[in-house]
Amino acid sequence: MSPPQPARRIALDVIMAVRDSDAYANLLLPVRLGRAKLSEADAALATELTYGTLRMQGYYDRVIAMAAKRSTDKIDPAILDVLRLACHQLLSLRVAQHAAVDESVELAKTVGSNSAVGFVNGVLRTITRSDAETWRKRVLAEAESGEEALAFEFSHPLWVTRAIRQVLVAEGREAELESALAADNVAPRVSIAALPGESDPAELDAWPAPFSPVGAILDHGDPLNLPAVREGRARVQDEGSQLAALTLSRARPIRPGEQWLDLCAGPGGKAALLAAEAASGGAILTANELVPARAELVRKALAVFASPPEVWELDGTSIGDLYPGAFDRILLDAPCTGLGALRRRPEARWRKQPSDVAGLGNLQSRLLTSAIVALKPGGILAYVTCSPHAAETKAIVTSVLRKAAHVERMDTPAVLQGIAKEPLDLPDATHVQLWPHRHGTDGMFIQLLSRA
């Protein structure tokens, strides 16, 4: 047998690093692909194998446990990664069975013992005896409720499925649960933001974004092939993130001399868009990022400007005390579970636990309280998370505003509808919740607040 195909080898290496070293696939995979200099077709295969396997890991583990007749926690982790990768090829891709099995056996030889190799061969032969639909029915038959069946089928932890359902129920859109879960398993299109004053969507060789007035959608190819992206005048940025920044910057006309703050600015995507918006209206942006490495990323993101905004490295929870009433507009893109970006960070669904929500909630509340103190009377604050989880969104705003009688919610949907190029499907509320399945964006929550 020849060595494993490079695309499969790279996919396995990244999957193992995600499990073993808490690596981020979206950061590691491009590096590995760049070093390997694969053809476009092989790079696309490696990408699909990596992300597809990570997304559907929970589902594949159930198939593997049935075929192996043992719990997956009894299987050597590296061998389990080989089996997961094989399952993606056998159950979700049009890969010839013999190729998927043979290549997986060769991969097993590189990470396991002779007995482990035989085990992989036996499990995969068992899986190939039934088609994908038969395995789907077997997996779903183990579910104890319809909700759990959806969690199994679309490979989400049950607690995440329940959290998404809770938000949809509150919107009167419970029937969308299956669509919402399915959307997390579809690779997102590449969205690009043309920085106002530096670039324009019309100069990009891409489709206009449906909603963002500064956005474009790249159908295929490397965004770095676009001169504006290569030069930093346009950025790869999800359309939902663009809309979150624009909701703050375009909530009302900019008065020259306004002071703006991006409180948690790393890695700098929204800060760059805000900086461009601020410059166009004569406002001054300051970016803050506590973590030095991320602060450096913010500086790099802002380097395209002739006079880059200042970047602080302060604890965001202290900025209210240090700079009370200092800012006309503040963006608080709060640290969160990232459940709104599972389609681009598939491993996040397996890393997060319900306990993470509570821990982050305390930080989110403290940051929001600090931001309110730092806001000038008459100022506007945008509380943003890349998560739809109610405990990270509406609950945080409600709990903080109980102690801030001088702050009130703005009609955020009305503001955003006035900015978007096309009407957005937004249920009646004072906040905005964007969804992958409904809007084609990450699951961004946006709440504008004003201080009396």
Side-chain angles (χ1 to χ4, degrees):
M1 265 310 270
S2 57
Q5 185 187 19
R8 290 180 171 89
R9 178 74 252 185
I10 288 173
L12 179 62
D13 287 347
V14 173
I15 291 165
M16 289 174 64
V18 166
R19 170 188 50 76
D20 196 41
S21 308
D22 281 342
Y24 290 90
N26 65 318
L27 300 180
L28 180 58
L29 181 60
V31 173
R32 292 300 311 272
L33 292 177
R35 289 177 184 165
K37 302 188 186 308
L38 299 183
S39 68
E40 187 172 331
D42 280 347
L45 175 60
T47 300
E48 171 57 36
L49 290 174
T50 302
Y51 287 122
T53 301
L54 291 171
R55 287 187 186 104
M56 297 303 294
Q57 175 180 312
Y59 176 80
Y60 295 149
D61 281 1
R62 294 188 174 279
V63 173
I64 291 165
M66 289 181 188
K69 294 185 170 55
R70 69 175 74 171
S71 170
T72 52
D73 60 10
K74 303 296 185 184
I75 300 173
D76 176 79
I79 292 299
L80 180 58
D81 288 335
V82 171
L83 290 170
R84 290 164 172 166
L85 186 61
C87 275
H88 188 58
Q89 297 169 70
L90 293 170
L91 302 177
S92 299
L93 300 180
R94 294 178 179 176
V95 174
Q97 287 188 351
H98 68 88
V101 173
D102 291 347
E103 288 277 342
S104 299
V105 168
E106 291 303 308
L107 283 174
K109 290 177 182 177
T110 68
V111 298
S113 62
N114 288 337
S115 61
V117 172
F119 173 73
V120 166
N121 187 57
V123 171
L124 295 183
R125 298 295 177 191
T126 299
I127 292 173
T128 60
R129 292 190 192 107
S130 302
D131 61 18
E133 179 59 21
T134 299
W135 281 113
R136 174 181 170 274
K137 290 176 179 177
R138 289 172 183 166
V139 168
L140 298 189
E142 291 191 335
E144 296 181 0
S145 67
E147 190 175 56
E148 191 171 53
L150 289 175
F152 287 177
E153 181 171 9
F154 295 103
S155 199
H156 284 61
L158 184 57
W159 73 271
V160 174
T161 302
R162 286 173 172 162
I164 292 172
R165 178 179 176 274
Q166 179 185 4
V167 178
L168 291 171
V169 167
E171 291 183 345
R173 302 288 189 87
E174 184 179 2
E176 295 180 11
L177 178 56
E178 182 172 332
S179 297
L181 297 174
D184 283 343
N185 295 333
V186 178
R189 299 177 299 175
V190 176
S191 297
I192 300 171
L195 300 182
E198 304 289 335
S199 180
D200 187 276
E203 77 171 271
L204 302 173
D205 184 18
W207 297 99
F211 304 114
S212 171
V214 303
I217 304 294
L218 191 63
D219 248 356
H220 62 276
D222 186 346
L224 287 174
N225 291 333
L226 300 176
V229 175
R230 200 164 52 246
E231 296 161 9
R233 298 181 292 109
R235 309 294 171 91
V236 174
Q237 184 179 48
D238 180 72
E239 192 177 6
S241 293
Q242 297 173 39
L243 294 174
L246 295 175
T247 301
L248 176 66
S249 65
R250 302 189 180 186
R252 66 185 178 203
I254 302 170
R255 299 187 307 272
E258 282 187 3
Q259 296 289 327
W260 294 8
L261 174 66
D262 187 346
L263 186 62
C264 299
K270 295 184 186 70
L273 182 50
L274 284 178
E277 289 278 291
S280 70
I284 300 165
L285 174 73
T286 300
N288 178 71
E289 173 54 51
L290 174 63
V291 181
R294 288 171 63 83
E296 193 56 36
L297 292 176
V298 177
R299 292 187 182 96
K300 289 179 180 177
L302 299 176
V304 67
F305 299 104
S307 299
E310 185 178 2
V311 179
W312 295 342
E313 296 182 21
L314 300 175
D315 182 343
T317 64
S318 70
I319 282 181
D321 293 333
L322 294 171
Y323 298 94
F327 298 97
D328 298 278
R329 304 190 199 207
I330 298 175
L331 172 67
L332 170 52
D333 184 7
C336 67
T337 56
L339 297 182
L342 295 183
R343 58 194 187 139
R344 69 180 72 252
R345 299 188 190 97
E347 68 273 13
R349 71 187 76 184
W350 311 118
R351 284 185 173 159
K352 302 298 181 182
Q353 303 294 331
S355 57
D356 295 329
V357 178
L360 285 164
N362 177 54
L363 176 60
Q364 290 155 356
S365 295
R366 292 168 60 212
L367 286 168
L368 182 53
T369 299
S370 176
I372 287 172
V373 175
L375 195 63
K376 284 183 181 179
I380 300 175
L381 188 161
Y383 177 75
V384 174
T385 68
C386 189
S387 170
H389 199 300
E392 300 189 88
T393 56
K394 296 181 292 183
I396 297 297
V397 173
T398 298
S399 66
V400 171
L401 292 196
R402 286 196 190 105
K403 303 172 185 176
H406 57 297
V407 177
E408 60 183 27
R409 296 174 177 86
M410 294 175 61
D411 187 347
T412 311
V415 172
L416 183 53
Q417 297 286 23
I419 294 166
K421 295 190 300 182
E422 297 290 339
L424 287 149
D425 179 5
L426 300 173
D428 292 336
T430 62
H431 66 268
V432 166
Q433 179 64 64
L434 300 175
W435 293 95
H437 72 283
R438 198 182 297 163
H439 308 108
T441 68
D442 285 348
M444 306 297 297
F445 173 89
I446 312 166
Q447 175 68 74
L448 290 180
L449 303 171
S450 62
R451 178 174 178 179

